[in-house]
Amino acid sequence: MNSINHFNVVVIGAGPAGCQCARTLAKLGYKILLLEQHETFQKNDFSSAATPQETLDKFNLPETVVGSYWQKISIVTTNINHTWASPKTLGAVLNFAKLREFLAGEVKNYGGQVWMGCRYTEHFQENGKTIVEMRRFGGDKLTVTTEVLVDATGPARAVMYDKKNSKPQFLTAAGIEYLIEVEGREYDKYANDLIFFLGHKWMPKGYSWIFPMESAQQRLKIGVARFNLEHKQIVETKSMRWYLELLIQDYMKLEKYKLIDTHGSTVKYSVGLKDIYYQDNVIAIGDAVSTINMLGGEGIRHGMENAEIASKYIKRYLDKHLFSFRPYQREMQIRYAIKWNISEQMGRRRYMQDSDELIDKGVKYLKSLTVEDMMKILFEYNFQKLYKGLGKYIQRKLKLVWQQINNFFMAKFS
Ligand SMILES: Cc1cc2nc3c(=O)[nH]c(=O)nc-3n(C[C@H](O)[C@H](O)[C@H](O)COP(=O)(O)OP(=O)(O)OC[C@H]3O[C@@H](n4cnc5c(N)ncnc54)[C@H](O)[C@@H]3O)c2cc1C
């Protein structure tokens, strides 16, 4: 079978960024095709999907996509632990499959098409048209034409980088997670709390976590993530699964639990945001342009925000008020470059250099901060409070580095 359809926009990849972009443009009345290689959203349900309350409000997300809410943040290191609690809800752990299912449903409700189990293979220009080729699960080749093509394929960057294109240098991290069911009294210990494990005992060169999911089923997400870089002090590490078991046996001391699912994925972040943002009428969004923050691995909110920015420029392009996506790249880099650069530097220090003693020292200092301060650090990337805990000399040095980075990016992108 070989069918030809024409669309205003074809979005490749139904992650949070691709779905949100397709949702916004379909709502505006454009003819949209959203393409996803997996047949169902349960098949790549890879993300822990913790997010602040802002994400639910800003993107009008219903309760049905929420696994659980949280109002506490805890940090556990090799030697110490501390919890910051709030009387109000601070955020949610989303059901990642349900989130994308909901967003894709919205695309359909607004008149767009969603083709699941359909893998993008290539695109090319012919007689002034952009031809997109894809293969349906089972073998059928399909061809469509489009005015704008969106690369929302996450770390694969499958549209922007064909085999001929050399990719920039990426900072990579791998993460795996168990979804487990536990007994009621065990679940209650972890309800409402985002627990992060730092320190060499729990996950050298990375971090691990326990997040609550649906309380009715007493489900928890237990995960570990690790950077693929050399550590100054740590030479040998064990397998990722070994550290997952360590959490279950040593920290949780679980005698009984039911493993529901094991999933994981890779994050590929372009240092200095050197991704290709656009090429003629092809534009990249979400993790395909490194919208994930490398310090804490938060990417859903930023991918969706980025989709909104991209949609604004795609609309102008389709309406013939814009002829190049250059302003899109500029807005993205002005918005993210400085904060992302500082987060990356902090991440490198934390995960690739710091000794256990330094990690403990850092968390000891954090104990003096309020839960509001912690939210600002973790989700607004506002590090002012952190600087105050450092010595005057380091404060001055950091201020200088901050100014230099700021000047560099302002000169480059304004
Ligand atoms: C283990 C782990 C835990 C995480 N935890 C959190 C967290 O707690 N909070 C948070 O905010 N973020 C978290 N993240 C990051 C977050 O999940 C990502 O940043 C986010 O999913 C990126 O969205 P995206 O739409 O850009 O890309 P993706 O979600 O990666 O979606 C890309 C889509 O494109 C599809 N695709 C790829 N190639 C093709 C092709 N050729 N044809 C068709 N489809 C294709 C893929 O199947 C996929 O569905 C985590 C990531 C990992 C790996």
Side-chain angles (χ1 to χ4, degrees):
M1 189 182 79
N2 196 344
S3 67
I4 297 225
N5 269 306
H6 181 71
F7 294 91
N8 296 125
V9 184
V10 173
V11 181
I12 314 287
C19 284
Q20 179 62 19
C21 180
R23 178 196 196 195
T24 304
L25 291 167
K27 192 175 176 186
L28 288 170
Y30 296 106
K31 194 176 174 201
I32 306 298
L33 170 62
L34 174 64
L35 203 76
E36 169 56 45
Q37 64 184 349
H38 292 98
E39 287 176 291
T40 70
F41 288 111
Q42 281 70 29
K43 284 214 165 150
N44 67 332
D45 192 9
F46 67 86
S47 183
S48 321
T51 200
Q53 181 63 33
E54 179 200 324
T55 312
L56 301 177
D57 302 337
K58 196 167 171 182
F59 301 108
N60 216 0
L61 300 177
E63 288 241 350
T64 52
V65 308
V66 173
S68 176
Y69 291 98
W70 49 273
Q71 54 190 74
K72 290 187 270 181
I73 300 166
S74 299
I75 297 184
V76 179
T77 70
T78 304
N79 300 301
I80 55 176
N81 63 62
H82 190 70
T83 297
W84 294 262
S86 167
K88 59 175 198 221
T89 298
L90 297 172
V93 181
L94 303 176
N95 182 314
F96 193 58
K98 285 189 183 166
L99 167 72
R100 290 167 298 145
E101 218 159 45
F102 163 76
L103 294 172
E106 290 262 287
V107 175
K108 288 191 215 159
N109 292 343
Y110 293 127
Q113 295 192 35
V114 181
W115 294 359
M116 300 295 291
C118 213
R119 186 179 169 77
Y120 159 92
T121 49
E122 65 169 324
H123 73 276
F124 48 89
Q125 309 290 338
E126 201 173 85
N127 302 327
K129 282 185 183 161
T130 301
I131 320 274
V132 186
E133 290 192 347
M134 57 202 77
R135 209 165 266 286
R136 205 179 270 287
F137 193 72
D140 282 352
K141 188 174 149 188
L142 302 174
T143 304
V144 300
T145 60
T146 186
E147 288 164 59
V148 174
L149 178 60
V150 180
D151 186 346
T153 60
R157 294 164 170 85
V159 183
M160 274 305 177
Y161 296 92
D162 60 22
K163 287 180 192 97
K164 284 171 264 158
N165 268 336
S166 63
K167 294 187 183 175
Q169 192 204 349
F170 293 122
L171 190 56
T172 62
I176 58 167
E177 190 176 70
Y178 283 173
L179 179 66
I180 62 169
E181 265 175 27
V182 295
E183 287 177 352
R185 63 191 158 85
E186 291 298 336
Y187 180 86
D188 292 345
K189 290 184 194 165
Y190 305 101
N192 297 320
D193 200 356
L194 283 193
I195 311 181
F196 295 95
F197 295 80
L198 305 175
H200 299 182
K201 171 179 174 180
W202 301 111
M203 188 67 249
K205 297 169 64 165
Y207 55 97
S208 42
W209 60 87
I210 301 173
F211 294 167
M213 280 295 279
E214 289 89 354
S215 57
Q217 292 146 306
Q218 296 151 199
R219 289 188 168 177
L220 300 170
K221 282 176 170 175
I222 301 171
V224 294
R226 166 159 87 189
F227 288 86
N228 302 324
L229 284 172
E230 300 287 307
H231 193 288
K232 279 206 162 168
Q233 302 171 19
I234 301 163
V235 185
E236 249 187 86
T237 53
K238 304 214 166 52
S239 75
M240 308 261 287
R241 274 181 201 265
W242 190 91
Y243 292 101
L244 270 177
E245 291 299 330
L246 181 75
L247 276 187
I248 292 172
Q249 305 306 333
D250 192 320
Y251 184 81
M252 303 175 83
K253 302 197 186 329
L254 281 185
E255 281 167 13
K256 223 166 72 180
Y257 68 91
K258 187 172 162 195
L259 182 62
I260 306 297
D261 189 30
T262 306
H263 46 249
S265 188
T266 310
V267 167
K268 288 186 180 172
Y269 172 83
S270 165
V271 175
L273 299 183
K274 296 204 182 76
D275 288 298
I276 301 176
Y277 284 77
Y278 70 97
Q279 244 172 10
D280 303 323
N281 61 341
V282 185
I283 174 169
I285 64 172
D287 275 7
V289 285
S290 308
T291 49
I292 189 166
N293 185 288
M294 280 314 283
L295 188 57
E298 193 205 347
I300 293 172
R301 181 169 52 125
H302 307 303
M304 292 178 77
E305 273 167 2
N306 165 226
E308 289 292 283
I309 296 172
S311 301
K312 179 178 75 182
Y313 288 99
I314 293 171
K315 178 184 171 3
R316 286 191 205 159
Y317 187 92
L318 292 171
D319 296 349
K320 312 256 180 286
H321 297 141
L322 185 78
F323 299 95
S324 155
F325 284 111
R326 167 95 185 124
Y328 160 65
Q329 172 168 357
R330 198 180 312 131
E331 178 167 345
M332 283 300 297
Q333 288 180 320
I334 286 175
R335 190 184 182 104
Y336 289 99
I338 297 168
K339 281 187 179 174
W340 260 223
N341 197 297
I342 289 168
S343 295
E344 184 211 314
Q345 299 304 329
M346 292 178 83
R348 275 182 194 270
R349 271 198 77 89
R350 174 85 346 160
Y351 306 125
M352 313 318 307
Q353 291 179 25
D354 285 355
S355 63
D356 244 5
E357 292 70 37
L358 256 182
I359 295 173
D360 283 351
K361 213 172 155 191
V363 177
K364 258 187 208 146
Y365 168 71
L366 291 178
K367 278 180 169 187
S368 64
L369 302 186
T370 63
V371 65
E372 290 79 19
D373 293 335
M374 287 301 285
M375 288 297 287
K376 280 196 182 131
I377 292 168
L378 292 173
F379 296 102
E380 292 174 31
Y381 313 111
N382 180 337
F383 302 120
Q384 304 291 345
K385 290 271 178 182
L386 279 186
Y387 298 156
K388 288 196 183 139
L390 304 167
K392 284 248 170 346
Y393 170 73
I394 298 179
Q395 271 186 41
R396 269 202 305 277
K397 267 195 95 169
L398 270 176
K399 209 169 165 186
L400 206 72
V401 172
W402 172 277
Q403 268 166 4
Q404 280 168 352
I405 294 172
N406 204 19
N407 293 345
F408 171 76
F409 281 107
M410 280 307 165
K412 194 165 175 209
F413 301 123
S414 55

